[in-house]
Amino acid sequence: MQNSLELKITDLSRGGAGVARTPEGEVIFVPLTLPGDRVRVQIVDKQKRYSQAELLEVIEASPERVDPRCSVFGRCGGCQWQHIPYPLQWKTKTAGVEHALRRVSLTSPKRPEEFPADLTWGYRNRIQLRGLRTDLGFYARRSHDLVPIASCPVARPEINKAIDSVRTEGQELPQQYKVEVEVLPDGSVAKSWNSRHANLGFRQVHDQQNGKLVNWIRENLTAGRPLLDLFGGNGNLSLELASQMTRIDCVDMSTPPVRPESTPENFHFHRSGVLPWLKKKQRSTEAVEISAIVDPPREGLAENTGEILASLKQLGVTEVIAVGCDPDSWARDLSHWTKKGWKLQKIALFDFFPQTPHIESVALLRL
Ligand SMILES: C[S@@+](CC[C@H](N)C(=O)[O-])C[C@H]1O[C@@H](n2cnc3c(N)ncnc32)[C@H](O)[C@@H]1O
């Protein structure tokens, strides 16, 4: 085959692809491979310092390779790592965070606390499917082609039980549709058709791992203070802390439209952008120290970093838990915090997405 190349995979990148080096020193990324594989590939994108290739054939499988559980693994755009044993997945994710920290000249003051997942299959409490007539499935890797599925091994069993009924209902729709299927906290399954957002707004997909993160935050925040939960969504990370904090302000562009009845009295939702809300907030006249959770979207605090950090300092925030789902933007934000005098106390790493390269990183900072 034209352009085909035989390679030995020697490394696993934190982006998910296996890595090979040619005798000339060129780096080639090959998705769906792992160290120890001997593969035939085709270069699909050649850059100055590296190339991207597509796997054509595994000539000799790495002894570590495992059988993917899903019949559409490799075609579906959802999981990238079902062929990799879980301990190697986790080792690669944590090494990736260390690498992201090194790139901004930071090191963890102590060994990061590690929270790999106990439940590595059947964990997702929500999935987003696409459908057209009798087909229901996910988008293919790097395309909008539909890959039909009968079940999804990373989704919770309740979701898999509902798939046939989703397909039957969707079949009635005249055009291609999107449907979000979600296991609600009471165990029932909700379907939301063609809506931009999930039923409950943003929600972490792995309930057990989310519980570990909430516990870690509970153990590490200084109790008895006011708390700002910035980018707080529906209060996922802070609602359970209401009894240990004097007051909680949860700020997010999409807080629940109606204050849920069960909301503790000292918990206040603010539907707003974080920066405008911080700028409007007056510093308390009492000399009180405040804690904050900062959990921005993938891009991190980005261009608002300087103003957000300055506002927090001005308001008397002296303790921050910084959460990030992209190691690079999270590490970049941490380097801004430390340059402004914040001390990195400790780091914890959580796996919310087994079978994919994603990792959730958390840092405790004090001023
Ligand atoms: C990673 S999620 C975290 C949500 C929440 N902390 C949780 O654990 O469920 C990021 C959140 O940031 C919100 N968001 C994005 N940009 C924002 C902005 N400029 N101001 C306020 N909220 C924003 C989104 O609505 C989303 O809920």
Side-chain angles (χ1 to χ4, degrees):
M1 180 172 293
Q2 226 189 1
N3 281 346
S4 100
L5 199 66
E6 201 179 304
L7 296 171
K8 180 88 179 173
I9 303 295
T10 52
D11 221 336
L12 188 57
S13 75
R14 62 196 172 106
V19 185
R21 285 177 182 78
T22 62
E24 295 74 38
E26 186 192 0
V27 174
I28 303 181
F29 293 102
V30 191
L32 307 173
T33 63
L34 78 162
D37 276 349
R38 204 156 58 78
V39 291
R40 185 175 309 285
V41 306
Q42 181 151 32
I43 304 291
V44 288
D45 182 23
K46 201 165 172 54
Q47 300 286 328
K48 230 182 190 170
R49 293 174 51 202
Y50 65 90
S51 294
Q52 301 280 357
E54 279 295 316
L55 177 65
L56 298 176
E57 183 195 352
V58 177
I59 300 167
E60 193 185 323
S62 160
E64 290 206 83
R65 190 173 259 278
V66 293
D67 285 334
R69 285 202 188 179
C70 181
S71 60
V72 296
F73 174 69
R75 282 193 292 135
C76 172
C79 299
Q80 297 82 40
W81 274 2
Q82 287 194 19
H83 62 301
I84 295 177
Y86 186 68
L88 178 57
Q89 292 184 22
W90 180 243
K91 198 172 132 202
T92 309
K93 293 184 195 210
T94 55
V97 175
E98 278 166 35
H99 182 249
L101 287 168
R102 270 200 310 277
R103 277 176 60 167
V104 294
S105 308
L106 283 179
T107 42
S108 179
K110 302 176 194 149
R111 213 183 131 74
E113 292 172 37
E114 294 191 18
F115 297 89
D118 304 305
L119 192 61
T120 56
W121 298 98
Y123 64 85
R124 275 198 82 109
N125 57 31
R126 61 184 169 94
I127 60 172
Q128 203 178 80
L129 297 164
R130 310 276 162 165
L132 180 63
R133 292 188 280 279
T134 53
D135 283 343
L136 177 68
F138 293 103
Y139 279 152
R141 227 161 33 94
R142 299 200 199 124
S143 98
H144 281 184
D145 293 345
L146 191 63
V147 179
I149 58 151
S151 64
C152 170
V154 294
R156 276 180 50 171
E158 297 93 320
I159 292 181
N160 281 314
K161 277 196 197 121
I163 282 186
D164 283 344
S165 74
V166 175
R167 189 184 298 103
T168 308
E169 283 175 63
Q171 226 163 295
E172 304 299 318
L173 301 174
Q175 288 153 345
Q176 175 155 358
Y177 62 89
K178 176 175 100 174
V179 58
E180 176 123 1
V181 188
E182 176 166 0
V183 186
L184 299 179
D186 67 4
S188 63
V189 173
K191 302 162 198 162
S192 93
W193 302 87
N194 292 323
S195 82
R196 260 186 68 217
H197 300 291
N199 294 303
L200 301 173
F202 177 86
R203 178 177 168 206
Q204 291 288 7
V205 299
H206 197 314
D207 292 329
Q208 283 87 348
Q209 291 302 102
N210 191 56
K212 291 182 194 176
L213 172 57
V214 172
N215 273 338
W216 191 88
I217 293 176
R218 190 202 317 277
E219 282 162 16
N220 284 286
L221 274 182
T222 307
R225 292 170 162 209
L227 173 67
L228 308 182
D229 184 6
L230 305 177
F231 307 93
N234 58 11
N236 166 50
L237 298 177
S238 59
L239 266 169
E240 285 186 33
L241 309 176
S243 61
Q244 76 180 54
M245 309 310 285
T246 54
R247 174 190 167 101
I248 300 180
D249 289 292
C250 175
V251 187
D252 195 290
M253 288 194 311
S254 56
T255 55
V258 181
R259 180 181 165 93
E261 257 177 49
S262 55
T263 312
E265 247 175 59
N266 65 343
F267 194 101
H268 305 271
F269 283 110
H270 307 275
R271 183 171 279 224
S272 166
V274 163
L275 187 56
W277 187 85
L278 287 172
K279 281 183 163 172
K280 263 197 277 162
K281 186 164 166 61
Q282 302 288 324
R283 184 176 183 147
S284 159
T285 44
E286 297 155 43
V288 53
E289 290 190 49
I290 300 179
S291 297
I293 300 169
V294 182
D295 183 12
R298 252 196 122 55
E299 60 271 23
L301 296 178
E303 72 275 9
N304 292 328
T305 311
E307 283 186 281
I308 289 181
L309 264 56
S311 304
L312 291 178
K313 194 170 179 184
Q314 197 270 329
L315 289 171
V317 173
T318 57
E319 178 177 75
V320 162
I321 301 235
V323 185
C325 58
D326 175 67
D328 287 311
S329 59
W330 170 81
R332 199 170 53 236
D333 284 352
L334 285 190
S335 82
H336 288 296
W337 291 99
T338 54
K339 280 182 194 138
K340 292 287 174 197
W342 290 77
K343 288 267 171 310
L344 184 53
Q345 307 282 323
K346 55 163 110 165
I347 283 174
L349 305 174
F350 296 82
D351 196 357
F352 280 51
F353 297 96
Q355 318 308 331
T356 81
H358 298 291
I359 182 165
E360 200 79 5
S361 312
V362 185
L364 173 68
L365 295 139
R366 294 214 171 95
L367 194 59

